[in-house]
Amino acid sequence: MIQEIVARFQQKHRTMRYPDGAPPPLPDRFRGRPVVDPARCVTGCHACEAACPTGALSAASPGVFDLGKCLFCPACAAACPHQAISWSANYQLAARERADLVVPREREAIDIKRAALDGALRKLLGRSLKLRQVSAGGCNACEADSNVLTTVGWDLSRFGIQFVASPRHADGLLVTGPVSQNMALALKKTYDALSEPRIVIAVGACAISGGVFAGSPEVGDGASSVVPVDLYIPGCPPHPLTILDGLLRLIGRIST
């Protein structure tokens, strides 16, 4: 026991101070909001669009990125002969509306002002938010990065946000995965077990749009095909900081 106490004093303060302090440093390989340099991009090239595995860059919608479909993979950047595509360090990617994830290619930021719950919901859930996590056919990447938030370094519970075992004890769902046919009914029953008011958070490209599985007869192309979604957090998987930022904006703990 003495050894444990000594080790704890040696470790000192381990929980990050974000959002009251600076966010934790991101690794060099971190890929945030993708950006296209219009000075380098050649109209009519379409190399990046052909390389995108999910249609996040589409010739049908020139000039925009669909971050809800984006896997944040380097396929488009590698295919671009003019090196027009780069990755910013912007981790603030969550949005309340699905349409807000379809953004101009040259902008580094998206509109996050609408991320907070409105009125009575924010007053009710802003200080205590219990979430039931549902893996609806996910690969466990988004699940793992969500679970990281419960560790001592992130300590999600200090904001009053906790994952609970039963939807009967939850205010909302955090959904990952593309919602396979075998999980669609389970997701709907879990949602129905929540008491009103209830919210749904879709985490990751699969939960938002179906990801690489979109259009497959075995999946429902994301959580919104089964339940209404109140917050979209893009990524494959989203960095824990992106998830935390989205959750804190949802409950009004961050407004800028």
Side-chain angles (χ1 to χ4, degrees):
M1 183 65 181
I2 297 298
Q3 292 179 340
E4 284 79 3
I5 295 175
V6 171
R8 185 65 189 88
F9 275 104
Q10 291 175 339
Q11 291 168 359
K12 299 182 180 180
H13 188 83
R14 297 177 61 189
T15 303
M16 68 184 68
R17 300 190 182 279
Y18 180 84
D20 295 330
L26 295 169
D28 293 338
R29 64 182 182 274
F30 173 75
R31 298 190 189 112
R33 165 77 163 87
V35 182
V36 176
D37 184 349
R40 293 191 176 198
C41 183
V42 176
T43 303
C45 171
H46 303 305
C48 60
E49 296 159 358
C52 182
T54 59
L57 291 161
S58 172
S61 303
V64 299
F65 258 113
D66 187 343
L67 297 180
K69 294 181 177 180
C70 184
L71 303 181
F72 293 76
C73 72
C76 58
C80 179
H82 311 288
Q83 297 181 325
I85 302 176
S86 61
W87 304 89
S88 73
N90 182 7
Y91 59 86
Q92 298 173 327
L93 302 175
R96 286 293 308 279
E97 302 291 338
R98 176 67 178 88
D100 291 340
L101 295 179
V102 182
V103 296
R105 296 186 187 184
E106 66 275 8
R107 287 178 53 195
E108 291 192 12
I110 66 174
D111 185 5
I112 54 178
K113 295 179 180 178
R114 299 172 61 189
L117 292 168
D118 298 324
L121 264 182
R122 183 168 60 177
K123 184 177 181 180
L124 180 64
L125 303 178
R127 295 177 63 86
S128 178
L129 178 62
K130 311 300 182 185
L131 298 173
R132 174 68 168 94
Q133 199 274 322
V134 178
S135 178
C139 69
N140 206 42
C142 293
E143 293 86 343
D145 276 5
S146 298
N147 289 339
V148 164
L149 297 177
T150 64
T151 62
V152 67
W154 297 84
D155 191 14
L156 187 64
S157 62
R158 62 194 162 116
F159 305 108
I161 306 175
Q162 294 179 326
F163 291 110
V164 295
S166 170
R168 301 291 184 186
H169 303 155
D171 303 303
L173 302 181
L174 188 145
V175 183
T176 56
V179 188
S180 63
Q181 282 190 359
N182 288 339
M183 281 300 300
L185 180 59
L187 175 60
K188 182 62 168 61
K189 286 185 175 181
T190 305
Y191 176 78
D192 290 341
L194 299 170
S195 58
E196 295 283 0
R198 49 195 174 186
I199 61 174
V200 176
I201 301 162
V203 173
C206 287
I208 294 174
S209 64
V212 294
F213 305 101
S216 168
E218 300 302 322
V219 303
D221 293 348
S224 61
S225 62
V226 178
V227 294
V229 175
D230 299 279
L231 182 70
Y232 299 87
I233 305 178
C236 186
H239 191 277
L241 183 57
T242 299
I243 302 173
L244 177 61
D245 181 80
L247 293 176
L248 294 183
R249 291 184 187 281
L250 183 70
I251 62 175
R253 295 294 295 267
I254 301 178
S255 58
T256 58

